[in-house]
Amino acid sequence: MFKHYFKTAWRNLKANKFYTTLNISGLAVGLATGIMLLLWVENQFSYDKFNMKYKNIYQLNTVIHADKDQAWNMTPGGLAAFGKNIPDVNSSVRIKDRNDQIIARYDRKKMLDGNYVGFVENTFLKIFDYKLIRGDKNNFLPDVSSAALTETLAKKLFGSDDVLGKTFNYFGEIYKVTAVLQDFPKNSSLQYDALFPMQSFINWVAKNYTNGNTRFLDEDFEQIQYKTFFLLNKNANAISAANTLQKEFKKRNNDAPFSFHLQNIATLHLTDTDGNTSRLRMVNVMLAVAFLLLAIAGINYINLSTARSLTRIKEVSVRKIIGANKRQLFFQFITETVIIFIAALFFGCVIISLLSPLYNSITGTELSDSLFQYSFLSKATAALLITLIGTAVYPALLLSSFKPLESLKGNIKGIKANVFRKILVVLQFSVSFILLVSTVVMSKQMHYIRTKDTGYDKSYVMAFPLTNNILPNLKSFEEELQKNMSVINAGVSDAFTLTSVDNGLDNVEWQGKSVNDKTFFNNISADKHFIETIKFQFIDGHNFSGTQADSTSFILNETAVKQMHLRKPYSGQNIKYRGTQGTIIGVLKDFNYKSLTQSIGPMIINNFGIQNIMYVRTTAAHAKDAIAYSEKTYKKYSRNAPFSYSFLDKNFEEQYKTDAQINQLFNVFAGVAIFISCLGLFGLATYTAQVKTKEIGIRKVLGASVGSIVQLISKGFLKLIVIAIIIATPLAYWAMNKWLGNFAYKITIGAFTFVIAAFVVIVIAFGTIGFKALKAARANPVKSLKTE
Amino acid sequence: MIKITNLEKIYRTDLVETVALNKMSFDVRKGEFVAIMGPSGCGKSTLLNILGLLDDCNGGSFLFDGIEVAKFNEQKRADLRKKNIGFVFQSFNLIDELTTYENVELPLIYNNVKAADRKVLVEEALDKMQIMHRRNHYPQQLSGGQQQRVAVARAVVNNPKLILADEPTGNLDSHNGNEVMDMLTTLNGQGTTIIMVTHSEHDAQYAHRIIRMLDGEKVTENILRELDYVHN
C-alpha cells in the first residue's frame, strides 16, 4: 500500500511541476530561516549552561539606591566572606576583571595586547566547569606568581600549549604558567585569556596605591569592584541567602545605600543586572518569529493544496467509488506532503549551508557549532514535525472527506467557500507587514542613534591605552604627539571608552546638600587637553588650566548641577570629592557617556589619579599618518610594547552591535516572509486565473478590456492585503513602541512609516498578482473557450 | 439479487423540492442485464447512484442479495460496494497519473489483496479486455475505446456481482461503442449482473430487459429476451 501511496504522490507532484516547485521553494526558504533562527535562539539560551552546577551558581549583584537605583554586577569584596556562615552556601569565588591587558614573554620576544585577565580565588574551578588541558585542577594557581593561560593565548605567546613552567611578564610582575585552560566556550558569560591568583592583585594594589587603602577582600565593604559568585547547595533558597548576606552587610556598614541580590548564572546573558529582560524578550520574539516564518510557509502549502483540491475531486471520487476508504486517501495525501517536506528540508539545508557565512557575520556565532547538537536536533525535529502535522492534516482531511457523488456532481461547497484560505492569506500578510514595519522602525532608530548629537565630536578620535612605562613620562609623550602635523590635539583620561564610562560611582559633598540626598556621580579623570580633544562644550566656566591648581578643580555636567540644585553661577562654588576640597571651574553641556539605552547621569571630571588612556584627534585626510605617528611615539616610550587603538565612532557603533544585528535579522526575516507570502499569492493568483479561464474568455468576447480583467483577478487579493494591513498596523505599533522602550533616546513612530510599509507590501503583492492577471487577460479568448 | 420497493429520493433546497424518484419499484435477478432508459432528468442516474450505494434514499426498501441496505450508513455502504459492485462511467474516470495496469490494480489494493494475487487478477482482466499490450500506457496515451476497456477491466477485476454502467458508450464512436457493449455482454454471459443507464436504443438492445423512466417513475418495462439460466 505504501508503495502505491508513494508512487501516486510522486507522479502527482511530477505532473504539477509549477505548484510543486512553488510549494517546495516556499517551504525550503521558510524551513531554512526558521531553523537558523531556532539555532540562534538555542545558542542564546545555552549560555553558561555548560556548567554542570549552573542551577545552583549565582552571581551577587549590588543595587545602589540613589535618585535612581543602579544595579551593578560587582560587589564589595567582603560579601563573599559572609557566605561561610550561611548554611545554604556551598562555596564562593571572587573575580577581579581587567580588560585590554598586555602580556609579554619573559624574553620579550613576543608581546600581546587586548587580553582579558581575571584575578580569581582558587575555588574558581570547583564552581565553574572550564576545562583544563594541562595542570592540576585541585592545585589550580597554587602560589602568588602562578598563572593559567588559555590554549589560544599559550599558543600565541609560546607557539605551543605545552607551556607548564614557562614564565611571562604581566604588569611588571613575573608569572609562571601552572595550568593551560581550554578556551572559554563562546557561550560563556565569563571570558578570559589568562587567570591569576587573587592574592597577586591584592599585592599589586598594596604596592602601587600608597594612600592607605589596604582593606581588601574580606574587610572591604565599600569598593564595588569584584564579581562574586556563590555555589548554593541543592534546593537552597537564593532569596533567603541574599537576605542573610544583606543583613550581615548591614551589621558592618549600616549607612551604605546598598542592597544585594543573587542572579542565577544561566540568566546572566539575557537578563541585565537590574532585572531588565529586554534581551530575553527579544530572543523570545525571535523564537516567535521563527514559528511565524514556519507558519507562513505552512500556510502557503495549505492554501495551494486546498485551492488545487478542486482539480483533484474527480480523482478522489473515483478512488472512493472503486473502494478507497477515508483513511487510505488520507495517508495518500499525507505521503505527498511528506515528500514535499523532505524535498523542502533538503533544499532548506542547502540554503542553510549557503547562508551560513551571512548567519555567522550577523549573529557573531558559528552556525556549525550548534548544528549537530542533540538539543538543537531535537528542537528542530519537533518544529519540523509540528509544521508538518499542522500543514498536512487539514488538506489531507479535506481531500479525503469529499463525498464521491457530490464531488462528481460538482457540489463542492466546502472547498469553494474559501473563507479559510482568505483568513490564512490575511494572516500571512499581517505577519509580513509587522516584520516590515519592524524593519523600518529599527533601521530608523539605528540611524537616529548613529547620528544623534552625543554632546561631543566622536569623529576621527582614536584612543589607546598606555603602558606603565609611558606613565612617568606622560607629559612629554602627550606633547610629542601634539607636535605632529597629523594630530589636531591629544589628551589623556582614565576612561577606556566614552561610550560606556564605568569608573564606578562616587559621593560628592557640597554646600546645602540635604542629609537624604543620594546622588552618586560617575567620574572621569582627565587632563586639560582631553576636554579640548573630545570637544566637550562648556555652558559655564572653563577648562582645566594645565597647572597645579587643576588638582583641586572640578568640572561637572549639566545633570550634576541640576541634581545638586546649585544656582548660577556654578563656577567658584566649593565641593568635596574623594577627600579633596575643591572648586567647580566649569560645567559641560550634557554628553552621552553611556549607551543611549540609558539617560545621562551626573558626572564629575577631576584631574587626579592615574590617567592611562590617550585620545588623539586627527582628520579624515591625516588619520593614516596620525596612527603611524602615534604608534611610533608609543613604541619609543613603551619600549616596543604592542600598539592597538580604536576609533570613538567605531566603539560607538560596536555598542549597538546587538541592536544592529537584530535589525539585520529582521531585514532578512521581513524579506523572507514577504517572499514566501508572495509565492503563495502567486500560486493562488495562477490558480484563480486557471479556474476563471472560461469566465475571462467570455468576458473578453463580450468586450472586456485587459484592465478590467486584471482588476477582476487582483481585486479580491488586494482586498485581503488591505485587511491584513489594517489588522497588523496596531499590532506593529504596539510591538515597536515596546522595543523602543529599551532606549532612553528614541524616535517616535509616525504614520509615514506605516504608509511606506503598506505601499511596499501592496506594490509587491500587486506585482505578483498583476503579472499572472495580465497574462490571463491577454490570452486569446477563443483558445481559452476551446480549452474549456 | 436486487429488489427495490417504493424507492423515493427527494432533493430539497431552501426554495424547491424536486422528486427524483417517486415510489419506484422493480427487481433484478442474478445474471440479468437490465437497461434503464429515459429522457434527461428522469431520475436514471439518481437510481443508478442509489443502486451503486453511492447515495441514500428518502424512503422505500432496497434489498441487495436479500439484505436491506436502504438504511446502511456510509461506511457500511462503502464496504458492501467495495466487495460487490463495479462501475463503468461515460467519461471513463481513469486516474491520469496511473498506468493502465495500475488503474486496474487499484480496487485490489484498496481491498488488501496480496501483491502476487493482484498480478494474476490484473493480467487476467487486461487479457479479457484485450488491452494487455497497453498495460504500461497512461490514460492520455489511449484512445477513448481503449480507455473504456481499461475502465471495464477495472470494474471487473474484483469479480463483482454487479456492474453498474452509466452511459458506457456515450463518449465513444460506434465501432468502439460496439466493442464495449460486446464485452459487457460477454461478462454478463459469464454470470455478472449488469444494470446500464443509456440513451442509446442500440445499446439497450444488448439487455434482457429495458426499464423506461419518466419523472422519477417507471413507465414501461420491455423484456427483450429471457435469461438463459439463473445463476446461483
Side-chain angles (χ1 to χ4, degrees):
Chain A
M1 185 68 82
F2 179 74
K3 193 177 148 201
H4 173 75
Y5 291 155
F6 185 81
K7 193 167 60 187
T8 312
W10 177 249
R11 289 191 192 154
N12 248 312
L13 298 176
K14 231 170 67 178
N16 297 289
K17 289 191 186 78
F18 174 72
Y19 291 100
T20 306
T21 312
L22 224 55
N23 264 329
I24 291 179
S25 37
L27 279 171
V29 173
L31 281 174
T33 40
I35 287 175
M36 284 199 281
L37 206 46
L38 284 176
L39 278 168
W40 180 78
V41 170
E42 167 72 14
N43 174 270
Q44 295 298 304
F45 281 128
S46 74
Y47 269 70
D48 296 310
K49 288 185 181 159
F50 56 84
N51 289 300
M52 306 277 276
K53 291 166 273 190
Y54 78 86
K55 282 184 182 155
N56 299 312
I57 302 174
Y58 289 84
Q59 175 181 276
L60 189 64
N61 296 330
T62 306
V63 181
I64 301 166
H65 301 286
D67 266 2
K68 216 173 151 193
D69 285 357
Q70 293 196 31
W72 287 61
N73 62 353
M74 287 181 274
T75 69
L79 267 298
F82 297 145
K84 287 171 197 146
N85 305 322
I86 302 175
D88 273 351
V89 173
N90 180 300
S91 50
S92 67
V93 63
R94 282 169 284 206
I95 307 171
K96 170 64 190 168
D97 283 355
R98 275 194 172 174
N99 300 341
D100 208 5
Q101 300 295 298
I102 296 172
I103 288 176
R105 250 160 74 165
Y106 186 57
D107 55 17
R108 295 189 77 84
K109 277 188 182 158
K110 199 133 206 182
M111 287 172 104
L112 297 166
D113 66 343
N115 294 301
Y116 285 81
V117 158
F119 292 91
V120 303
E121 292 183 289
N122 58 10
T123 44
F124 186 80
L125 285 187
K126 293 194 174 92
I127 293 178
F128 301 114
D129 291 307
Y130 298 106
K131 292 200 174 73
L132 273 188
I133 297 176
R134 291 173 196 281
D136 181 3
K137 190 179 169 184
N138 296 315
N139 199 17
F140 184 59
L141 304 177
D143 57 64
V144 74
S145 59
S146 54
L149 302 182
T150 59
E151 196 183 351
T152 301
L153 181 59
K155 281 181 180 159
K156 273 199 224 158
L157 205 58
F158 298 106
S160 144
D161 61 28
D162 187 7
V163 294
L164 291 188
K166 299 218 170 178
T167 51
F168 65 92
N169 213 308
Y170 168 58
F171 234 84
E173 303 288 332
I174 296 161
Y175 290 92
K176 188 166 86 181
V177 182
T178 57
V180 179
L181 288 157
Q182 207 173 63
D183 288 350
F184 282 65
K186 278 183 185 144
N187 58 352
S188 164
S189 295
L190 296 177
Q191 291 289 345
Y192 299 105
D193 299 300
L195 296 176
F196 298 93
M198 183 61 91
Q199 190 57 43
S200 127
F201 174 71
I202 295 167
N203 292 354
W204 180 83
V205 176
K207 194 167 134 191
N208 287 277
Y209 285 82
T210 50
N211 57 357
N213 194 355
T214 50
R215 288 179 301 161
F216 280 112
L217 291 176
D218 290 1
E219 289 305 315
D220 180 4
F221 296 103
E222 282 173 4
Q223 295 194 44
I224 303 173
Q225 60 168 338
Y226 301 97
K227 277 187 177 149
T228 305
F229 289 92
F230 286 105
L231 173 64
L232 302 189
N233 291 320
K234 266 188 188 164
N235 305 321
N237 185 332
I239 295 170
S240 75
N243 286 342
T244 316
L245 287 168
Q246 170 90 22
K247 273 184 213 150
E248 291 291 328
F249 175 79
K250 285 282 171 199
K251 279 186 204 162
R252 306 290 185 99
N253 196 348
N254 197 29
D255 296 340
F258 301 160
S259 66
F260 302 93
H261 70 266
L262 288 167
Q263 183 182 7
N264 186 268
I265 189 170
T267 67
L268 291 184
H269 179 61
L270 296 177
T271 307
D272 287 348
T273 318
D274 61 5
N276 181 341
T277 54
S278 58
R279 260 173 302 155
L280 177 65
R281 263 185 283 139
M282 193 42 86
V283 173
N284 283 329
V285 165
M286 290 297 186
L287 186 63
V289 170
F291 283 109
L292 282 177
L293 286 177
L294 290 174
I296 287 185
I299 285 174
N300 265 4
Y301 185 79
I302 295 176
N303 271 347
L304 287 178
S305 327
T306 54
R308 293 207 57 251
S309 59
L310 275 169
T311 59
R312 300 192 63 178
I313 288 171
K314 189 189 113 184
E315 177 199 337
V316 174
S317 305
V318 171
R319 283 177 187 274
K320 278 203 162 181
I321 288 169
I322 60 177
N325 62 32
K326 208 170 162 179
R327 189 176 52 87
Q328 288 165 328
L329 287 172
F330 179 80
F331 281 109
Q332 184 200 315
F333 293 117
I334 289 284
T335 308
E336 271 180 40
T337 310
V338 169
I339 292 177
I340 286 199
F341 263 74
I342 290 171
L345 189 61
F346 170 77
F347 288 111
C349 288
V350 173
I351 295 174
I352 289 177
S353 66
L354 291 176
L355 289 185
S356 64
L358 180 73
Y359 172 92
N360 293 346
S361 78
I362 292 180
T363 63
T365 55
E366 284 289 326
L367 185 65
S368 52
D369 280 0
S370 39
L371 208 50
F372 295 105
Q373 279 173 13
Y374 169 75
S375 65
F376 160 68
L377 286 177
S378 58
K379 276 178 189 142
T381 312
L384 187 70
L385 284 179
I386 291 168
T387 321
L388 181 63
I389 293 165
T391 309
V393 171
Y394 176 71
L397 271 181
L398 181 81
L399 279 164
S400 58
S401 63
F402 291 156
K403 289 199 169 148
L405 190 62
E406 291 188 2
S407 320
L408 277 184
K409 275 195 272 183
N411 187 3
I412 33 168
K413 265 188 232 153
I415 311 150
K416 273 187 177 164
N418 49 7
V419 178
F420 183 62
R421 266 206 308 279
K422 286 180 180 166
I423 292 173
L424 291 181
V425 170
V426 168
L427 196 69
Q428 273 187 318
F429 276 89
S430 300
V431 173
S432 303
F433 184 73
I434 291 172
L435 288 173
L436 188 64
V437 168
S438 308
T439 301
V440 175
V441 172
M442 284 176 173
S443 304
K444 276 177 143 184
Q445 173 68 11
M446 287 296 112
H447 177 76
Y448 172 78
I449 281 179
R450 269 184 215 118
T451 52
K452 185 190 176 295
D453 177 15
T454 46
Y456 59 91
D457 182 0
K458 56 185 176 292
S459 50
Y460 307 110
V461 179
M462 59 191 266
F464 50 90
L466 306 177
T467 64
N468 273 0
N469 295 329
I470 299 179
L471 293 183
N473 308 307
L474 186 57
K475 207 169 163 55
S476 45
F477 176 67
E478 192 179 83
E479 279 167 4
E480 198 159 332
L481 286 175
Q482 284 163 349
K483 263 190 239 159
N484 191 271
M485 281 285 290
S486 65
V487 173
I488 293 175
N489 211 336
V492 71
S493 83
D494 67 347
F496 264 95
T497 164
L498 275 185
T499 50
S500 67
V501 173
D502 214 357
N503 291 337
L505 291 172
D506 280 318
N507 218 343
V508 173
E509 300 297 329
W510 67 92
Q511 215 174 10
K513 182 182 181 184
S514 93
V515 187
N516 298 323
D517 192 299
K518 286 173 185 165
T519 309
F520 281 86
F521 289 68
N522 288 283
N523 64 83
I524 295 176
S525 171
D527 75 348
K528 171 187 169 205
H529 299 293
F530 172 77
I531 309 258
E532 291 164 358
T533 304
I534 303 300
K535 293 192 180 166
F536 287 129
Q537 298 157 44
F538 280 91
I539 57 160
D540 188 57
H542 56 80
N543 194 358
F544 293 123
S545 59
T547 63
Q548 189 57 37
D550 286 347
S551 62
T552 54
S553 301
F554 301 109
I555 297 172
L556 303 178
N557 70 348
E558 256 178 298
T559 303
V561 293
K562 261 185 222 151
Q563 290 197 11
M564 291 160 82
H565 305 291
L566 296 186
R567 290 210 189 124
K568 280 184 180 170
Y570 308 119
S571 303
Q573 299 193 37
N574 291 329
I575 59 172
K576 192 175 167 187
Y577 174 65
R578 286 192 181 173
T580 302
Q581 191 71 48
T583 319
I584 301 172
I585 57 159
V587 176
L588 297 177
K589 186 183 148 196
D590 270 345
F591 58 97
N592 291 93
Y593 56 86
K594 282 193 184 286
S595 158
L596 292 184
T597 58
Q598 296 174 37
S599 46
I600 298 170
M603 160 66 70
I604 180 164
I605 301 180
N606 61 75
N607 186 241
F608 46 77
I610 293 175
Q611 296 164 354
N612 59 344
I613 313 292
M614 181 58 71
Y615 287 79
V616 174
R617 177 177 293 280
T618 174
T619 60
H622 293 109
K624 223 172 154 185
D625 296 340
I627 294 168
Y629 180 73
S630 299
E631 179 166 10
K632 201 176 108 196
T633 319
Y634 175 92
K635 293 225 157 175
K636 186 171 113 190
Y637 276 79
S638 69
R639 286 190 280 155
N640 282 327
F643 175 76
S644 70
Y645 62 92
S646 57
F647 274 89
L648 278 193
D649 47 1
K650 281 269 153 43
N651 289 345
F652 185 79
E653 299 254 329
E654 187 73 11
Q655 200 171 19
Y656 304 101
K657 208 170 110 189
T658 313
D659 294 305
Q661 276 171 4
I662 289 169
N663 186 11
Q664 271 178 297
L665 282 176
F666 265 79
N667 288 345
V668 174
F669 301 146
V672 166
I674 291 173
F675 171 73
I676 302 175
S677 303
C678 284
L679 269 189
L681 201 59
F682 185 66
L684 286 180
T686 307
Y687 168 75
T688 307
Q690 265 171 13
V691 293
K692 288 196 179 204
T693 308
K694 189 177 170 191
E695 182 187 338
I696 293 168
I698 294 169
R699 281 175 186 266
K700 281 195 83 175
V701 169
L702 295 176
S705 66
V706 168
S708 73
I709 288 182
V710 169
Q711 197 193 10
L712 171 80
I713 296 175
S714 336
K715 202 172 61 187
F717 289 116
L718 290 179
K719 208 162 77 187
L720 295 182
I721 287 155
V722 170
I723 292 173
I725 290 170
I726 292 169
I727 292 174
T729 297
L731 287 172
Y733 183 78
W734 172 81
M736 278 297 99
N737 260 333
K738 198 109 184 135
W739 181 74
L740 286 173
N742 296 332
F743 294 87
Y745 302 90
K746 60 197 171 211
I747 55 163
T748 47
I749 310 172
F752 190 64
T753 303
F754 292 94
V755 173
I756 287 279
F759 180 75
V760 169
V761 168
I762 289 173
V763 164
I764 293 177
F766 185 74
T768 311
I769 311 162
F771 171 73
K772 242 358 295 185
L774 205 62
K775 211 172 146 192
R778 282 187 175 161
N780 183 350
V782 176
K783 208 173 154 194
S784 61
L785 286 175
K786 221 197 266 172
T787 326
E788 272 293 305
Chain B
M1 182 182 186
I2 285 171
K3 183 174 176 62
I4 57 170
T5 317
N6 292 332
L7 203 64
E8 274 187 320
K9 179 72 187 180
I10 300 161
Y11 292 109
R12 288 191 181 90
T13 62
D14 293 344
L15 301 171
V16 196
E17 196 176 272
T18 315
V19 179
L21 291 177
N22 189 9
K23 298 197 186 299
M24 180 104 178
S25 301
F26 68 89
D27 49 9
V28 177
R29 283 178 293 162
K30 228 174 231 176
E32 204 177 358
F33 187 161
V34 175
I36 297 172
M37 299 192 73
S40 293
C42 73
K44 308 186 293 285
S45 293
T46 305
L47 176 66
L48 202 70
N49 290 332
I50 294 174
L51 294 177
L53 300 166
L54 291 169
D55 205 353
D56 51 6
C57 53
N58 300 99
S61 153
F62 173 12
L63 293 177
F64 188 98
D65 253 357
I67 303 163
E68 176 59 67
V69 297
K71 297 279 178 272
F72 267 23
N73 63 21
E74 203 184 322
Q75 184 60 48
K76 274 183 155 177
R77 288 208 305 261
D79 283 346
L80 194 68
R81 184 172 68 223
K82 182 153 82 169
K83 294 191 175 83
N84 296 292
I85 305 172
F87 290 86
V88 178
F89 303 95
Q90 176 180 358
S91 52
F92 325 133
N93 281 341
L94 297 175
I95 291 174
D96 293 340
E97 285 75 27
L98 300 181
T99 62
T100 296
Y101 183 94
E102 289 159 352
N103 262 293
V104 177
E105 189 189 21
L106 206 53
L108 300 174
I109 292 177
Y110 290 135
N111 263 314
N112 297 320
V113 177
K114 279 187 205 147
D117 297 342
R118 287 206 301 262
K119 190 164 181 284
V120 175
L121 290 169
V122 173
E123 285 179 355
E124 204 177 288
L126 290 175
D127 231 9
K128 219 192 274 183
M129 298 302 138
Q130 295 154 30
I131 195 75
M132 192 63 167
H133 59 296
R134 295 283 190 180
R135 55 180 291 167
N136 292 325
H137 287 68
Y138 286 90
Q140 314 80 283
Q141 300 167 320
L142 303 175
S143 71
Q146 288 171 330
Q147 287 195 42
Q148 194 62 302
R149 272 190 272 160
V150 177
V152 175
R154 187 179 64 184
V156 300
V157 72
N158 232 354
N159 205 13
K161 292 177 182 163
L162 173 67
I163 287 183
L164 297 174
D166 192 355
E167 306 250 13
T169 62
N171 280 4
L172 301 177
D173 58 37
S174 62
H175 172 71
N176 279 310
N178 286 341
E179 262 185 26
V180 167
M181 286 316 298
D182 287 341
M183 272 168 197
L184 289 178
T185 313
T186 311
L187 283 171
N188 178 244
Q190 289 162 354
T192 311
T193 312
I194 297 176
I195 301 175
M196 174 179 75
V197 163
T198 183
H199 276 121
S200 157
E201 285 292 345
H202 171 264
D203 290 355
Q205 299 306 314
Y206 286 83
H208 293 112
R209 185 157 52 115
I210 303 174
I211 295 173
R212 292 182 196 270
M213 289 177 68
L214 187 67
D215 296 339
E217 291 177 29
K218 183 173 88 178
V219 285
T220 60
E221 198 174 326
N222 310 25
I223 297 173
L224 302 178
R225 54 195 173 97
E226 285 297 330
L227 254 183
D228 297 341
Y229 59 93
V230 176
H231 294 268
N232 294 312

